Amino acid sequence: MSELCIRGGKRLIGDVTINGAKNAAVAILPAALLVDGISEIENLPYIDDVIKVKEAMEGLGAVTEFIDAHTLKVDASTVYDYNATQDYIGNIRASYYLIGALLGRFKKAEVAMPGGCNFGVRPIDQHIKGFEALGAKVVIEHGMIKAYADRLVGTKIYLDVVSVGATINIMLAAVLAEGTTLIENAAKEPHVVDVANFLNMMGAEVKGAGTDVIRIKGVERLSGGKYSAIPDQIEAGTYMMAAAITGGDVYVRNIIPEHMYSVSLKMIEMGIEIEEGDDYVRVIAPEILKATNVKTLPHPGFPTDLQPQMAVLLSVAKGTSTIIEGVWDNRFQYVDELTRTGANIKVDGRMAVVEGVSTLSCAKLAATDLRAGAAMIIAGLRAEGGETVITNVKYIDRGYETIEKKLAALGADIQRRPSKVTEEDC
Ligand code: EPZ
């Protein structure tokens, strides 16, 4: 168990390079199970969730090998099992992609119920609706989701909610189905497009990813190849906000700036200068930030996965801001913990009202989930009066590669150490 210790007040200056996207990686890896051969996936972030998915795939018979820290070779021709019961499977959300991939490949899948960050109820009814529409019988028993089909046949599927997971999972099940599948009201996130591009590179026929309607013409088999995952929009946004809260001047590199528009434009409303290049943004922050209003929405809206980080930034902006959480029922659980720094945030259901304060103070904070943990780090970068100590770092390690090293390279005073600090240290 480790914790992160931050002495706030240092202005972040310099360059940070963004890794591949977690939420693309954890879907592309299961998608590689559909390939009857070898795929080589580059630009994978070296984070806990990726390692867990890799281990799960090995448990099913795939042979994997890291060519370098960010490139994994997957030979899925050796996959023999359709039953993913390992304990760790239940701890990550993305384990649900194993269902789509195994169902697509073997027409049967048995996978432990997915876990992941707790934002209230996280149903998977739209995934199941999609599998059933393709001809599968799906049952949930003894903590397992079990799906079986004699054959999968393409059809039209309308998603009742815009769901990233359901869109990708149905794509995975449909690429090897007979005939054509249409997913209506599909999610348009960059990682949905990335998975479609990966599948197409391997021989699938997926069109329309990135729009509301995805059309998948089933093919008989997918064969191997090389693919590079897109950069992580959420990691990039996290560093943009970290830079901004310190009044910093940071180049966030190796990104797709178009993926950042909703974030960049909100930051510009706050008085932050955003300079855009081909594959970077430069964030130049003033000393005083302006309040604004944010509503999280499916892409191309403001991403829910940057909502906690934005809440921290707004907590030191001049004036009153509002945040409406438009994706999850309960994604403000971190607020109680954050108010220990003096942040003034009041939550009412899916809305938070943030009264800007001029300073945050150091505190001991327990990360409540992945992005909340990132938000707490951002608070620590600004906090005065000593050391901010963040525990439950395991959540942060699920999604950010060497976050303390990247921030330290920008000038932050941040260290990882074994967890044993008490309140008195602050
Ligand atoms: C993905 O989760 C991401 N996780 C989440 O990122 C992200 O917050 C979320 O998409 C929204 O962008 C991964 O990609 C692994 P959804 P997912 O299905 O796919 C409702 C992070 O921090 N819904 O798009 O599970 C659901 O309750 C993580 O990196 C149904 O009602 O999210 C929610 O309100 C956290 N029925 C909304 O749809 C369903 O069958 C969007 O969920 C599925 C979802």
Side-chain angles (χ1 to χ4, degrees):
M1 293 275 275
S2 58
E3 59 192 21
L4 292 172
C5 314
I6 308 166
R7 286 187 176 269
K10 295 273 195 281
R11 205 171 154 236
L12 299 190
I13 296 176
D15 296 55
V16 61
T17 301
I18 297 306
N19 287 109
K22 165 180 99 72
N23 289 342
V26 297
I28 289 173
L29 287 177
L33 292 175
L34 288 160
V35 178
D36 187 11
I38 297 177
S39 26
E40 214 172 283
I41 305 146
E42 298 169 351
N43 202 32
L44 292 172
Y46 197 83
I47 51 175
D48 286 358
D49 273 17
V50 165
I51 302 301
K52 282 182 188 153
V53 174
K54 173 185 115 44
E55 287 170 357
M57 292 166 67
E58 286 164 353
L60 295 166
V63 177
T64 74
E65 180 195 348
F66 270 110
I67 308 281
D68 59 47
H70 299 114
T71 306
L72 190 71
K73 191 166 151 187
V74 180
D75 183 353
S77 63
T78 50
V79 172
Y80 57 87
D81 200 358
Y82 57 90
N83 185 306
T85 54
Q86 295 97 324
D87 284 347
Y88 52 80
I89 282 299
N91 295 334
I92 50 169
R93 193 75 196 153
S95 55
Y96 53 39
Y97 292 134
L98 296 173
I99 311 168
L102 293 170
L103 186 61
R105 172 105 181 243
F106 297 113
K107 311 293 173 263
K108 51 191 172 187
E110 294 185 358
V111 177
M113 286 289 279
C117 297
N118 177 13
F119 316 132
V121 184
R122 293 187 73 172
I124 54 162
D125 57 302
Q126 298 303 305
H127 304 234
I128 293 172
K129 172 178 162 172
F131 298 146
E132 287 177 340
L134 290 167
K137 183 173 179 337
V138 184
V139 290
I140 299 180
E141 55 186 20
H142 313 302
M144 302 284 289
I145 304 169
K146 301 180 177 178
Y148 314 95
D150 292 331
R151 48 199 279 251
L152 295 174
V153 182
T155 184
K156 283 189 186 163
I157 299 160
Y158 175 80
L159 295 182
D160 300 317
V161 287
V162 179
S163 160
V164 172
T167 303
I168 293 178
N169 232 342
I170 295 168
M171 271 197 309
L172 298 184
V175 280
L176 297 177
E178 296 165 36
T180 299
T181 301
L182 279 185
I183 308 175
E184 306 261 359
N185 200 26
K188 301 188 282 253
E189 268 65 7
H191 37 292
V192 173
V193 180
D194 210 32
V195 176
N197 288 342
F198 168 78
L199 292 167
N200 286 341
M201 185 86 95
M202 304 297 141
E205 290 193 33
V206 181
K207 291 198 172 125
T211 74
D212 294 319
V213 184
I214 300 180
R215 176 185 291 269
I216 304 143
K217 196 168 158 219
V219 294
E220 281 201 1
R221 88 181 262 276
L222 302 183
S223 45
K226 262 192 190 180
Y227 190 76
S228 181
I230 50 164
D232 198 313
Q233 175 202 29
I234 306 303
E235 190 195 15
T238 301
Y239 284 100
M240 288 169 74
M241 291 176 200
I245 206 162
T246 67
D249 181 351
V250 170
Y251 286 88
V252 180
R253 297 200 182 272
N254 187 35
I255 64 165
I256 298 174
E258 291 89 323
H259 292 171
M260 306 313 302
Y261 282 164
S262 61
V263 178
S264 297
L265 292 171
K266 273 294 150 198
M267 291 179 74
I268 290 168
E269 282 176 26
M270 297 179 72
I272 299 158
E273 209 182 310
I274 307 282
E275 200 182 287
E276 194 183 297
D278 285 349
D279 65 350
Y280 71 86
V281 290
R282 179 182 178 190
V283 178
I284 309 163
E287 247 176 59
I288 297 179
L289 302 170
K290 290 187 252 176
T292 191
N293 301 317
V294 177
K295 179 170 183 181
T296 69
L297 289 167
H299 191 78
F302 189 93
T304 174
D305 294 345
L306 284 170
Q307 180 258 98
Q309 301 89 315
M310 189 63 168
V312 173
L313 196 58
L314 292 173
S315 73
V316 295
K318 197 168 170 19
T320 307
S321 305
T322 58
I323 304 175
I324 297 176
E325 172 52 53
V327 177
W328 295 109
D329 281 339
N330 192 4
R331 205 173 187 172
F332 285 118
Q333 286 144 316
Y334 65 89
V335 166
D336 267 357
E337 196 67 14
L338 199 64
T339 52
R340 292 155 69 87
T341 63
N344 183 351
I345 307 176
K346 301 264 178 321
V347 177
D348 183 5
R350 281 180 169 228
M351 181 169 174
V353 177
V354 186
E355 294 289 348
V357 294
S358 54
T359 56
L360 297 178
S361 57
C362 69
K364 187 171 182 190
L365 303 171
T368 47
D369 64 66
L370 165 60
R371 308 302 173 187
M376 287 167 193
I377 293 179
I378 294 175
L381 294 171
R382 174 71 177 238
E384 297 178 358
E387 223 173 41
T388 294
V389 178
I390 298 167
T391 57
N392 281 350
V393 177
K394 61 179 184 192
Y395 289 122
I396 302 170
D397 291 337
R398 290 180 55 174
Y400 291 91
E401 184 175 324
T402 59
I403 192 164
E404 71 279 16
K405 290 190 181 140
K406 288 186 178 187
L407 286 169
L410 292 170
D413 184 344
I414 178 169
Q415 282 160 22
R416 184 183 289 255
R417 65 186 183 203
S419 196
K420 59 176 168 47
V421 180
T422 59
E423 290 280 4
E424 293 77 60
D425 290 288
C426 176

